[in-house]
């Protein structure tokens, strides 16, 4: 009798254990689906934010001109935007780490709404400069990167972050086309109304679909006592092994090309002899390249190669791009060079962001992404001055030669140095 009871008890325990395992499996599966949905929402928000940004970039020169702002004043306007983004990047990252990614994304989208609202009522030059102010917290792309970083394993991070490049390409194409069409058909201010409403929609999407706490609880360390504006906390991350070295590579590898792109509106007219419509087509071509390369090429490479290999590859390709630009004479040459250029830019951005977020504690990934997001605003801030001097004194080829020299030096440095990286391929 006791043997029968023991057997029944044993069978009951096995059944209970099986049900528990099945429940855990279903829960894990449900968690994976939920995680995938949140990442898709992050991609959607990033695409919309980039589209709105490029939409206003297309309209802004005409709006500034209609208000009587000359080319020098327009340069100051662009620099103001760059400085605000430069200052705001690390602060936005700290906010994401301390108050959660959803709160940070809502702040970014709400700031975008304020940005377009002020732009829509900019009937004078002072108001136009005032409309740049909310840009300090407009960081939709780093916000989406933060969501992805929190929800992906380190081995899958580069692939997931690389897909944001696809969103970037789609955003460029939609935003560039939409800005021109809407302003032509409905007036110069109509795109600002679209941007205002679109950012409010993004606020609602973030509130509904992004969880309050994206980061797993085990990875979340509360840092209420830390000051969001603490420079010491931001600089602390640079002391982690490999962080400073990789960040320096990230800043300098694409700087000469960044200077060239800052000056491209002038170069396209003076050097290539393009009209405004043709420049728009060229921008769309860049968007298509971005979509194809980031969506199809970068992701596959991250699955088969280590971070160190891909970092060296991007620098090597960048050096080749520099040589091509030094010899470039026509817009058709530039269209050919654009293929490795977009690849190197996309690969460098994706792989350095992946390396740097793996190198710091999970509780500091937002701050690290914020620091990474400040690289482009830094280029936009110093670009007009340095780029203008290079173009005026030495011509277009100077950008190519500078790119070649800088990246050869960086490539040699990466071959000889022993930068500690967490090497892992995607599974």
């Amino acid at each position: 009798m006791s043997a029968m009871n023991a057997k029944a008890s044993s069978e009951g325990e096995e059944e209970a254990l099986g049900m528990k395992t099945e429940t855990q499996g279903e829960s894990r599966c449900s968690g994976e689906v939920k995680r995938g949905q949140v990442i898709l929402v992050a991609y959607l928000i990033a695409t919309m934010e980039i589209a709105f940004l490029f939409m206003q970039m297309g309209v802004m020169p005409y709006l500034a001109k209609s208000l009587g702002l000359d080319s020098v004043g327009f340069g100051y306007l662009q620099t103001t935007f760059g400085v605000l983004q430069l200052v705001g990047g690390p602060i936005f990252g700290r906010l994401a780490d301390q108050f959660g990614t959803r709160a940070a994304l809502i702040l970014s989208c709400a700031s975008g709404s304020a940005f377009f609202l002020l732009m829509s009522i900019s009937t004078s030059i002072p108001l136009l400069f005032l409309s740049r102010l909310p840009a300090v917290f407009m960081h939709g792309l780093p916000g989406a990167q933060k969501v992805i970083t929190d929800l992906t394993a380190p081995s899958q991070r580069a692939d997931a972050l690389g897909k944001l490049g696809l969103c970037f390409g789609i955003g460029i194409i939609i935003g560039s086309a939409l800005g021109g069409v809407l302003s032509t058909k409905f007036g110069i201010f109509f795109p600002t109304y679209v941007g205002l409403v679109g950012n409010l929609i993004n606020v609602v999407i973030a509130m509904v679909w992004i969880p309050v706490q994206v980061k797993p609880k085990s990875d979340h360390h509360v840092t209420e006592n830390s000051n969001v504006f603490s420079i010491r906390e931001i600089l602390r991350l640079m002391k982690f092994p490999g962080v400073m070295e990789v960040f320096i590579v990230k800043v300098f590898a694409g700087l000469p090309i960044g200077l060239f792109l800052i000056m491209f509106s002038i170069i396209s007219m003076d050097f290539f002899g393009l009209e405004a419509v043709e420049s728009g087509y060229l921008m769309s071509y860049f968007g298509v390249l971005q979509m194809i390369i980031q969506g199809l090429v970068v992701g596959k490479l991250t699955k088969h190669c280590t971070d160190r290999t891909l970092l060296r590859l991007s620098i090597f390709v960048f050096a080749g791009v520099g040589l091509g630009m030094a010899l470039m004479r026509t817009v058709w040459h530039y269209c050919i060079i654009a293929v490795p250029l977009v690849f190197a830019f996309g690969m460098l951005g994706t792989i350095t962001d992946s390396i740097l977020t793996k190198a710091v504690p999970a509780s500091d990934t937002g701050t690290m992404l914020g620091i990474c997001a400040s690289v482009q605003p830094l280029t936009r801030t110093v670009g007009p001055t340095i780029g203008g001097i290079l173009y005026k004194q030495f011509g277009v080829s100077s950008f190519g030669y500078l790119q070649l020299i800088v990246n050869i030096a960086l490539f040699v440095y990466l071959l000889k140095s022993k930068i500690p990286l967490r090497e892992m391929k995607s599974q």
Side-chain angles (χ1 to χ4, degrees):
M1 186 73 177
S2 60
M4 289 178 63
N5 288 339
K7 184 178 179 182
S9 175
S10 175
E11 288 175 354
E13 286 175 4
E14 286 178 7
E15 187 178 347
L17 185 63
M19 290 176 65
K20 183 179 179 182
T21 304
E22 187 178 339
T23 304
Q24 287 176 341
E26 289 175 359
S27 176
R28 193 180 299 112
C29 182
S30 173
E32 288 293 334
V33 171
K34 176 74 173 175
R35 196 175 296 126
Q37 288 175 346
V38 173
I39 290 174
L40 284 175
V41 169
Y43 287 145
L44 174 63
I45 291 174
T47 303
M48 291 176 69
E49 289 286 299
I50 292 160
F52 298 142
L53 185 64
F54 274 87
M55 187 173 66
Q56 71 86 28
M57 283 171 64
V59 172
M60 182 54 66
Y62 302 98
L63 178 57
K65 189 177 180 180
S66 70
L67 296 176
L69 196 66
D70 60 15
S71 58
V72 176
F74 185 69
Y76 290 143
L77 188 70
Q78 295 292 80
T79 300
T80 302
F81 184 84
V83 169
L84 287 168
Q85 289 253 294
L86 175 65
V87 172
I91 296 172
F92 178 84
R94 293 275 296 152
L95 286 167
D97 282 334
Q98 292 202 11
F99 300 103
T101 308
R102 185 173 81 160
L105 268 176
I106 291 171
L107 174 63
S108 173
C109 299
S111 298
S113 296
F115 176 86
F116 281 105
L117 175 63
L118 289 170
M119 195 173 160
S120 69
I121 58 172
S122 294
T123 53
S124 65
I125 292 174
L127 272 176
L128 190 61
F129 272 87
L130 184 65
S131 72
R132 308 291 94 181
L133 200 56
V136 73
F137 291 123
M138 285 171 56
H139 295 280
L141 189 60
Q145 288 176 321
K146 171 68 173 158
V147 172
I148 292 163
T149 300
D150 288 345
L151 292 178
T152 54
S155 60
Q156 300 169 330
R157 190 168 299 166
D159 183 29
L161 289 173
K163 288 185 174 65
L164 273 174
L166 181 64
C167 302
F168 197 87
I170 295 170
I172 289 176
I173 295 170
I174 295 174
S176 300
L178 209 57
V181 171
L182 293 178
S183 60
T184 302
K185 287 196 172 184
F186 303 106
I188 196 75
F189 284 106
F190 194 81
T192 64
Y193 305 143
V194 174
L196 169 61
V197 174
N199 273 280
L200 288 174
I201 292 172
N202 270 349
V203 169
V204 175
I205 291 173
M207 291 177 70
V208 173
W209 288 97
I210 304 294
V212 176
Q213 186 53 263
V214 174
K215 188 178 295 183
K217 290 182 180 179
S218 59
D219 290 340
H220 183 66
H221 304 289
V222 182
T223 54
E224 285 88 349
N225 296 327
S226 301
N227 187 351
V228 171
F229 302 97
S230 172
I231 300 296
R232 184 184 299 172
E233 282 295 310
I234 293 169
L235 293 177
R236 174 180 61 86
L237 300 184
M238 291 296 169
K239 296 178 182 178
F240 283 95
V243 170
M244 180 62 80
E245 294 92 331
V246 173
F247 186 72
I248 289 172
V249 171
K250 182 181 181 72
V251 171
F252 285 102
L255 182 60
I257 293 292
L259 298 177
F260 171 83
L261 294 175
I262 291 289
M263 299 299 298
F264 186 72
S265 57
I266 295 172
I267 291 170
S268 64
M269 289 187 293
D270 295 348
F271 187 75
F272 293 134
L274 299 181
E275 299 293 333
V277 176
E278 293 168 329
S279 292
Y281 292 149
L282 194 59
M283 188 63 73
S284 297
Y285 169 67
F286 261 88
V288 172
L289 280 180
Q290 182 90 18
M291 287 171 56
I292 294 171
I293 292 172
Q294 288 281 156
L296 300 177
V297 180
V298 173
K300 289 187 183 298
L301 285 176
T302 58
K303 291 179 180 178
H304 297 95
C305 304
T306 63
D307 291 347
R308 191 184 302 276
T309 301
L310 293 177
L311 182 60
R312 288 172 177 170
L313 175 64
S314 62
I315 299 300
F316 182 77
V317 174
F318 252 147
V321 168
L323 179 60
M325 288 188 64
L327 302 174
M328 176 178 66
R329 294 294 176 268
T330 69
V331 70
W332 298 110
H333 293 161
Y334 184 58
C335 288
I336 295 169
I337 294 166
V339 178
L341 170 60
V342 171
F343 169 80
F345 247 129
M347 180 59 76
L348 181 72
T350 298
I351 211 65
T352 50
D353 287 349
S354 176
I355 291 169
L356 291 169
T357 52
K358 290 179 202 174
V360 300
S363 56
D364 291 314
T365 52
T367 307
M368 192 71 254
L369 286 168
I371 294 170
C372 291
S374 297
V375 174
Q376 284 189 353
L378 175 64
T379 306
R380 284 200 297 267
T381 303
V382 302
T385 304
I386 301 175
I389 293 170
L390 280 173
Y391 181 55
K392 226 173 192 180
Q393 298 295 327
F394 307 104
V396 171
S397 61
S398 63
F399 296 101
Y401 286 121
L402 184 60
Q403 179 75 12
L404 176 63
I405 293 166
V406 168
N407 280 275
I408 286 176
L410 289 174
F411 186 70
V412 172
Y413 169 71
L414 288 175
L415 286 177
K416 291 189 173 183
S417 67
K418 301 293 182 184
I419 301 174
L421 302 179
R422 289 180 61 185
E423 296 286 11
M424 49 181 75
K425 302 174 190 175
S426 298
Q427 300 301 319

